[in-house]
Amino acid sequence: MIRIATASAAALACVLAPQTPGAAQSGLPLPRSMNPVRIKVTPMASGDLVLLWNNGTVTCDSGVVEAAEWVAPHLQFSKKELSKYPVTVGFAIDEKGRAVDIRVLEGGYVAGKLEASLDPEKNTLKLSADKLLESLSVRDLMPSLRASRFAMDAPQTGCRVTYAPEYVATADLPRSELARIAAVPGIKIGSSQHDQLAEGDCNTVGWPAYSLRAYPDWRAITARDGARKWNWIGFDIDEEGVPINVTVIASSGHDDLDRESLRAISQNRFAEGKRAGCATPWWRNPGVIPAPPLPEDSTFREYQDCSAHRQWAVAPKLTFPQSYNERAIEGWAVLGFDIGADGAISNITVLSAQPSEEFGAAGKAVLQSASFERDDEAQTRCIERVRFAISKPKSAAPES
């Protein structure tokens, strides 16, 4: 089994963050720090538009099903309209009330590509992002569905829900919605957007220096599975640098985070004189949603474990699907494949994947990044299990 563990359940990678080496899709060699298969990307951090995905009624074979806790897809800044068509997602509901077997049934789901080519004469690297932003616009549909919860001990089959895109001008976005998108790590809102949250001179004059900084007691704040708890705290600062009029501007509605955030802000002390209309966000990173159980070996009797006969020549490049990492959602993929005498892997087939088809695609990419040592004979109908697990360092702070 290949186990892919991410060290942080909610770390946001920078756009075009250098990763491990590999071959370019164009066939030309790339610098070892620029493998397009491993490059991580995140949605835009600003834009004149905000994309919202509005969900329709959830129906299953038994009829209409209500969610006990519905987690909406992340809001996204955008500079133009990307996805214009509804997306229908199919799934089942397990005995724990979580969506499984998640897959796209129809609609505007887009497979984006990031290709890179090297001009040896000019020694320059050219990147082509074909429909990459469009693909990012739907990146949270299936993870957010997995983070939602339905009635426990009431399994359902044949479920489906349709998401319809809606674009709202950033300037017209309600304060509660602006606060929700602006609380995401990595998002830096502009001065006009900051004024929508808290009007005052904290933004125009400049954020005052801390003389004493306090933090919430994270031990007193429980994690919300698959979704961040968040808030924006507003306050003024008096002549002595003491926060006054401390209040919750907007919040995900979790009392433990709100209570600790208010306490922390009240205990801060600032220099540089009075301020009015200050605002700052706090969030608690998601709790882990474990993957469904892996199927028994007997499920795939026609496949064989080839690891005892072949050694890796190029080890798999282990990368956790980023949109699921952000929600701390674990998964796995079971893959069938052939190995040529030259060690090349071919005919990769996703035999099973949970909780969504995207883990199958991620597992397939893992195998495509690898090869085995040469051997006298080829092997067929090999099997590999790729498990995507969250393993968080004990010293890492889960929030900000």
Side-chain angles (χ1 to χ4, degrees):
M1 177 187 291
I2 300 173
R3 184 176 185 273
I4 299 177
T6 179
S8 173
L12 287 178
C14 296
V15 174
L16 301 185
Q19 297 293 318
T20 49
Q25 295 179 16
S26 63
L28 295 174
L30 289 178
R32 292 183 63 83
S33 63
M34 291 296 293
N35 177 3
V37 176
R38 317 315 308 170
I39 288 174
K40 294 182 179 180
V41 289
T42 56
M44 293 181 182
S46 62
D48 296 330
L49 298 174
V50 172
L51 169 60
L52 304 83
W53 286 98
N54 299 312
N55 63 281
T57 301
V58 176
T59 61
C60 299
D61 288 339
S62 63
V64 174
V65 175
E66 297 290 340
E69 180 184 14
W70 182 258
V71 177
H74 291 311
L75 302 176
Q76 302 174 50
F77 284 120
S78 177
K79 295 180 180 179
K80 63 178 183 178
E81 292 191 6
L82 300 171
S83 297
K84 299 181 180 180
Y85 305 103
V87 180
T88 300
V89 177
F91 61 102
I93 300 173
D94 65 14
E95 67 281 357
K96 295 182 179 180
R98 297 287 186 189
V100 294
D101 299 324
I102 308 171
R103 63 212 179 277
V104 171
L105 297 180
E106 58 187 61
Y109 193 67
V110 179
K113 294 190 299 181
L114 179 65
E115 296 185 348
S117 59
L118 180 67
D119 187 334
E121 295 182 358
K122 297 181 179 179
N123 196 29
T124 57
L125 182 68
K126 181 180 180 180
L127 296 176
S128 175
D130 181 31
K131 298 187 181 299
L132 185 63
L133 292 179
E134 287 85 346
S135 68
L136 288 177
S137 68
V138 297
R139 68 196 295 269
D140 193 44
L141 296 189
M142 288 191 269
S144 64
L145 180 57
R146 173 65 175 171
S148 301
R149 187 185 288 278
F150 298 86
M152 298 181 66
D153 300 320
Q156 301 283 343
T157 58
C159 303
R160 58 192 291 148
V161 60
T162 297
Y163 296 88
E166 177 187 357
Y167 293 87
V168 177
T170 303
D172 297 334
L173 198 67
R175 186 165 73 167
S176 60
E177 296 296 90
L178 175 61
R180 179 157 70 99
I181 190 172
V184 174
I187 298 295
K188 302 294 184 182
I189 61 174
S191 58
S192 61
Q193 295 163 347
H194 197 282
D195 287 343
Q196 287 179 248
L197 293 175
E199 295 183 0
D201 61 8
C202 235
N203 184 59
T204 55
V205 175
W207 193 265
Y210 287 96
S211 57
L212 175 65
R213 189 168 189 179
Y215 293 87
D217 181 357
W218 302 114
R219 298 169 299 179
I221 305 169
T222 60
R224 180 188 180 193
D225 290 348
R228 292 185 183 91
K229 294 180 176 180
W230 61 270
N231 61 32
W232 276 85
I233 304 298
F235 58 99
D236 303 325
I237 304 172
D238 68 12
E239 297 87 342
E240 304 299 323
V242 178
I244 57 175
N245 304 322
V246 183
T247 186
V248 177
I249 294 176
S251 166
S252 59
H254 296 92
D255 292 341
D256 51 359
L257 176 62
D258 292 347
R259 181 175 58 253
E260 280 299 311
S261 300
L262 290 169
R263 181 191 61 78
I265 292 297
S266 298
Q267 292 181 351
N268 284 337
R269 294 296 181 267
F270 296 90
E272 302 178 6
K274 296 177 63 176
R275 291 286 195 281
C278 302
T280 188
W282 295 97
W283 63 82
R284 173 67 159 92
N285 280 342
V288 175
I289 299 180
L294 271 162
E296 299 291 336
D297 293 347
S298 58
T299 308
F300 311 101
R301 294 183 184 275
E302 64 273 29
Y303 288 86
Q304 60 174 325
D305 182 359
C306 299
S307 60
H309 309 286
R310 306 292 285 266
Q311 300 297 318
W312 296 114
V314 177
K317 307 300 186 296
L318 310 182
T319 300
F320 203 103
Q322 189 181 358
S323 55
Y324 290 87
N325 179 35
E326 291 168 12
R327 288 195 178 277
I329 295 173
E330 297 184 331
W332 50 259
V334 181
L335 307 161
F337 59 98
D338 299 334
I339 309 173
D342 61 354
I345 297 174
S346 62
N347 300 325
I348 302 173
T349 302
V350 179
L351 304 177
S352 186
Q354 287 289 4
S356 82
E357 63 181 1
E358 291 179 309
F359 280 100
K364 190 173 181 178
V366 168
L367 278 188
Q368 288 173 331
S369 70
S371 63
F372 288 90
E373 293 180 352
R374 299 181 66 88
D375 194 74
D376 294 336
E377 297 181 357
Q379 290 176 292
T380 61
R381 304 186 76 78
C382 299
I383 191 170
E384 187 63 78
R385 294 165 177 80
V386 182
R387 180 171 175 245
F388 299 87
I390 303 289
S391 61
K392 191 173 184 180
K394 294 182 180 179
S395 59
E399 35 276 320
S400 180

